[in-house]
């Protein structure tokens, strides 16, 4: 039931703070110790020499973020693969691979095909899914819940943040993040709430920048490039504005030729190591007429940025940076008079290959 909400998508965007709290309550005990991840899971992963995350669409984008946690905290090399590609073009695997399937529905046919293949090859697999007791959770060796609650809108929102959160927690069970993850995630929940309380700002940004546009861009570097892919998918799939998300350093290698007077370019700026370079790229597209809209973290924000994201640990910034993009997609779609929850040509769960 969507209650007082006009669309499920808005309700699900708003639920993300509560989802973050529910996930923490499930995976941490009162003393801040991790719970709910069986030793068999962590022991089997510790024996692996490489993780292979396999997923589709938004879940694939969540995997691109999760990769950083497994590599930086757990120190396990991690590859992220698109299920429909991996299924028919399997890359050379390491000696001891461990597979992680990410899925909201647990029913995505492309991911199921890969799980079938890797099981036949005898490799261990864990599914992180929102719908438990789904095909992917039943057929993997291990399964952990993503705990986003029912997601009805076709465009995935809370399942993405939940998948990022659960990957962070799983990675922290394998290696020390070097900070108090439970406390930082409590802060993340508070700040997600703070951003979703700013709906009017994003409505205005969406209406001003996107109402009559036929194309748009999301750029970022590092983790922001990963979020840019998800941000672009959200916008294009429901507003039908052709949107590209990509690594900002690639602009000069071709894409910058697409910039025209007024082309909206959203920049996600939350990573200190590359903030200076990204500022340069924003200036370059602005000089060619782009309408630049910068969403920057507090530590990196400057005068003129469209929105300042509250500061949390940089590796957790994707959990905040994605929220404005979800809201911008929602309000741009509303402004164009389209059905937010049911974009044309799409199904919630893709059970064909
Ligand atoms: C986009 C979206 C899709 C799904 C994809 C995978 O908003 O929802 O891209 O993420 O079809 O689905 P799951 O996660 O159910 O495997």
């Amino acid at each position: 039931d969507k209650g007082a909400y006009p669309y499920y998508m808005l309700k699900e965007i708003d639920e993300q703070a509560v989802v973050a709290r529910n996930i923490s309550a499930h995976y941490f005990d009162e003393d801040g110790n991790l719970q709910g991840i069986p030793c068999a899971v962590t022991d089997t992963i510790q024996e692996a020499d490489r993780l292979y995350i396999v997923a589709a669409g938004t879940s694939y984008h969540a995997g691109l973020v999760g990769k950083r946690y497994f590599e930086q905290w757990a120190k396990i090399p991690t590859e992220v693969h698109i299920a429909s590609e991996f299924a028919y073009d399997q890359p050379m695997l390491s000696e001891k691979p461990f597979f992680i399937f990410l899925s909201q529905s647990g029913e995505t046919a492309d991911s199921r095909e890969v799980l079938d293949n890797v099981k036949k090859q005898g490799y261990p697999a864990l599914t992180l899914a929102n719908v438990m007791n789904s095909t992917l959770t039943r057929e993997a060796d291990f399964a952990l819940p993503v705990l986003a609650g029912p997601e009805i809108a076709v465009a995935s929102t809370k399942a993405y943040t939940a998948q990022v959160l659960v990957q962070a927690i799983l990675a922290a069970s394998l290696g020390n993040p070097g900070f108090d993850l439970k406390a930082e995630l409590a802060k993340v929940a508070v700040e997600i709430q703070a951003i979703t309380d700013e709906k009017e700002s994003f409505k205005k940004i969406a209406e001003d920048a996107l109402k009559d546009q036929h194309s748009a861009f999301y750029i970022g570097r590092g983790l922001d490039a990963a979020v840019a892919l998800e941000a672009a998918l959200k916008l294009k799939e429901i507003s039908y504005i052709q949107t590209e998300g990509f690594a900002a350093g690639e602009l000069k290698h071709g894409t910058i030729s697409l910039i025209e007077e007024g082309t909206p370019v959203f920049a996600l700026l939350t990573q200190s190591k590359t903030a200076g370079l990204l500022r340069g790229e924003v200036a370059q597209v602005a000089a060619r007429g782009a309408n630049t809209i910068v969403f920057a973290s507090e530590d990196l924000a400057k005068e003129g940025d469209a929105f300042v994201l509250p500061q949390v640990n940089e590796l957790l910034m994707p959990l905040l940076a994605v929220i404005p993009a979800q809201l911008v997609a929602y309000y741009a779609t509303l402004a164009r008079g389209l059905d937010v929850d049911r974009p044309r040509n799409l199904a919630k769960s893709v059970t064909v290959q």
Side-chain angles (χ1 to χ4, degrees):
D1 179 23
K2 54 184 191 285
Y5 284 94
Y7 286 101
Y8 281 106
M9 184 182 179
L10 194 62
K11 174 172 180 269
E12 290 162 4
I13 290 171
D14 270 359
E15 283 169 352
Q16 290 175 109
V18 172
V19 167
R21 290 191 187 101
N22 289 345
I23 289 171
S24 280
H26 181 92
Y27 284 108
F28 289 102
D29 69 15
E30 278 173 18
D31 302 323
N33 300 310
L34 284 161
Q35 60 181 15
I37 303 176
C39 291
V41 173
T42 44
D43 289 351
T44 311
I45 298 179
Q46 298 287 15
E47 285 166 21
D49 62 1
R50 189 170 287 256
L51 301 181
Y52 293 82
I53 298 176
V54 178
T58 287
S59 297
Y60 167 72
H61 297 155
L64 295 174
V65 176
K67 167 187 162 81
R68 270 67 172 194
Y69 306 143
F70 294 115
E71 293 197 331
Q72 298 202 29
W73 302 345
K75 311 286 180 217
I76 310 173
T78 303
E79 296 179 16
V80 193
H81 289 273
I82 293 170
S84 60
E85 284 296 302
F86 194 107
Y88 302 100
D89 194 12
Q90 184 171 303
M92 192 180 149
L93 300 178
S94 65
E95 246 168 67
K96 292 210 60 122
F98 183 92
F99 283 85
I100 297 177
F101 290 85
L102 282 182
S103 180
Q104 190 286 125
S105 64
E107 299 297 343
T108 298
D110 291 320
S111 301
R112 288 170 57 184
E113 178 70 23
V114 178
L115 178 56
D116 277 349
N117 293 347
V118 303
K119 270 175 56 184
K120 281 183 198 131
Q121 296 167 72
Y123 299 129
L126 160 71
T127 294
L128 305 181
N130 194 35
V131 180
M132 292 302 276
N133 207 6
S134 52
T135 309
L136 285 168
T137 64
R138 281 195 309 266
E139 295 186 351
D141 303 278
F142 312 104
L144 291 173
V146 156
L147 304 166
E151 193 183 63
I152 310 293
V154 164
S156 181
T157 53
K158 61 178 180 167
Y160 171 87
T161 42
Q163 284 172 337
V164 171
L165 284 160
V166 173
Q167 288 177 97
I169 288 168
L170 177 60
S173 77
L174 299 162
N176 190 350
F179 62 92
D180 182 347
L181 183 62
K182 187 188 179 199
E184 200 65 9
L185 291 184
K187 182 149 191 252
V188 164
V190 169
E191 303 302 5
I192 289 176
Q193 179 75 57
I195 299 169
T196 54
D197 285 346
E198 297 288 326
K199 291 190 183 60
E200 285 306 311
S201 313
F202 300 111
K203 182 166 187 276
K204 182 159 182 352
I205 289 169
E207 286 171 357
D208 290 352
L210 295 167
K211 193 163 187 294
D212 303 311
Q213 291 294 332
H214 53 87
S215 73
F217 297 88
Y218 267 96
I219 61 172
R221 280 177 175 249
L223 272 172
D224 291 328
V227 179
L229 293 178
E230 173 56 13
L233 177 59
K234 279 301 79 87
L235 183 57
K236 73 180 108 174
E237 73 172 323
I238 57 173
S239 74
Y240 315 148
I241 298 169
Q242 186 161 11
T243 312
E244 272 194 63
F246 62 99
E250 283 289 281
L251 267 174
K252 58 185 175 296
H253 298 294
T255 314
I256 199 163
S257 69
L258 289 170
I259 303 298
E260 294 173 356
E261 197 58 41
T263 303
V265 178
F266 292 87
L268 304 176
L269 203 147
T270 71
Q271 302 297 306
S272 47
K273 207 164 58 182
T274 48
L277 288 163
L278 191 56
R279 288 283 176 196
E281 281 136 2
V282 170
Q284 284 159 20
V285 291
R288 287 157 182 83
N291 173 20
T292 55
I293 301 125
V294 180
F295 298 147
S297 58
E298 215 166 284
D299 286 357
L300 305 172
K302 285 199 174 154
E303 185 82 32
D305 290 346
F307 189 80
V308 179
L309 297 160
Q311 190 67 50
V312 295
N313 182 285
E314 272 194 12
L315 283 168
L316 301 176
M317 281 307 295
L319 293 161
L320 303 186
V322 76
I323 312 287
Q326 296 169 345
L327 287 164
V328 164
Y330 175 81
Y331 285 113
T333 305
L334 266 194
R336 294 160 80 90
L338 298 166
D339 183 340
V340 173
D341 284 343
R342 280 188 305 259
R344 67 189 178 205
N345 310 340
L346 280 169
K348 179 67 183 160
S349 170
V350 186
T351 53
V352 292
Q353 286 187 51

